[in-house]
Amino acid sequence: MATLILVRHGRSTANTSGVLAGRTPGVALDERGAAQAAELPGRLAGVPLAAVVTSPLQRCRETVRPLLDARPGLPLHAEERISECDYGDWSGRKLAELMDEPLMQVVQAHASAAAFPGGESLRTMQARAVDAVRDWNARIEAEHGEDAVYVMCSHGDIIKALVADALGLHLDLFQRIQVDPCSVTAIRYTRLRPFLLRLGDTGDLAALAPREPAGGAGEAEVGGGAGAP
């Protein structure tokens, strides 16, 4: 199946002010975030892309804009199911202030039981994001072939939850995963299992171009493989 390149949006004004943005409108990239987004086309220059799928929120749309400008004609699709978690009443509040909330301990250690007041549960967030990825994998493969690679720009908790699913980790462990702003996480999906190719990568990505694995399609490379040719 397709290879998915997950891009977390660049650093935002909410990140630098220590605010849990959630779905609050008008949260843009800050100066550093805009620079990170501008570097993305160069980092992905060696990777053929079939499409870009993005969260509809402003910070994600701003992150993929330089990539789209560098590749005229690359299809862009908005996908509500990979939008930020609905943090409900927590949205717009200072993270330092939220650390004193009893629910924060549940969010950190028992995420599968966490539901945000006036918002959604982390289980619901993961389920909708996983459904979106599986639907897009099938669509991209049907339209572009099984070696197709596509980009999906989303948010930290969404990407962490997708990585947990790909690795077969319980959602309660997803807080052990970290993805920095504008980092790239890549997952190659096969008929039987996914392979995590990159996690929170902020460097060169040319090795993500499709190639035949030494062990054959769908098999792990014993010993770890030789990397990029």
Side-chain angles (χ1 to χ4, degrees):
M1 296 180 68
T3 295
L4 169 63
I5 296 179
L6 289 159
V7 177
R8 185 185 170 195
H9 62 78
R11 196 174 74 176
S12 73
T13 53
N15 295 144
T16 48
S17 60
V19 168
L20 184 64
R23 299 180 179 181
T24 305
V27 176
L29 299 183
D30 68 4
E31 184 176 351
R32 174 59 182 149
Q36 290 170 333
E39 294 170 357
L40 191 60
R43 293 170 61 202
L44 288 169
V47 185
L49 298 176
V52 173
V53 181
T54 184
S55 158
L57 294 180
Q58 179 178 342
R59 53 196 183 273
C60 287
R61 291 187 284 108
E62 290 178 347
T63 298
V64 299
R65 177 47 52 192
L67 179 61
L68 295 167
D69 289 344
R71 301 201 191 193
L74 184 63
L76 173 65
H77 308 276
E79 173 56 76
E80 290 281 353
R81 292 175 295 175
I82 61 166
S83 188
E84 180 65 285
C85 182
D86 183 356
Y87 297 114
D89 298 343
W90 280 25
S91 300
R93 293 177 62 185
K94 289 281 189 179
L95 286 166
E97 166 190 317
L98 290 170
M99 294 305 295
D100 295 330
E101 293 280 354
L103 178 60
M104 183 60 83
Q105 291 183 322
V106 182
V107 170
Q108 293 295 321
H110 191 17
S112 62
F116 297 98
E120 68 180 336
S121 69
L122 287 171
R123 286 183 294 107
T124 300
M125 178 202 75
Q126 184 186 44
R128 63 173 166 82
V130 169
D131 284 348
V133 165
R134 297 193 187 284
D135 288 348
W136 277 103
N137 283 348
R139 175 173 172 177
I140 294 294
E141 181 178 3
E143 294 179 0
H144 301 280
E146 62 182 14
D147 290 330
V149 183
Y150 71 107
V151 165
M152 185 173 276
C153 186
S154 189
H155 307 268
D157 280 350
I158 293 283
I159 294 172
K160 288 159 56 178
L162 289 169
V163 170
D165 173 76
L167 293 177
L169 293 178
H170 197 282
L171 183 60
D172 287 349
L173 302 179
F174 99 124
Q175 297 289 22
R176 302 184 185 191
I177 300 165
Q178 180 170 328
V179 289
D180 291 331
C182 222
S183 64
V184 165
T185 295
I187 303 170
R188 178 167 58 86
Y189 288 86
T190 74
R191 186 173 64 87
L192 296 180
R193 54 184 170 169
F195 290 84
L196 182 64
L197 307 179
R198 292 287 190 281
L199 176 61
D201 196 315
T202 56
D204 180 76
L205 300 165
L208 294 176
R211 60 190 178 92
E212 181 66 23
E219 297 297 329
E221 295 184 36
V222 177

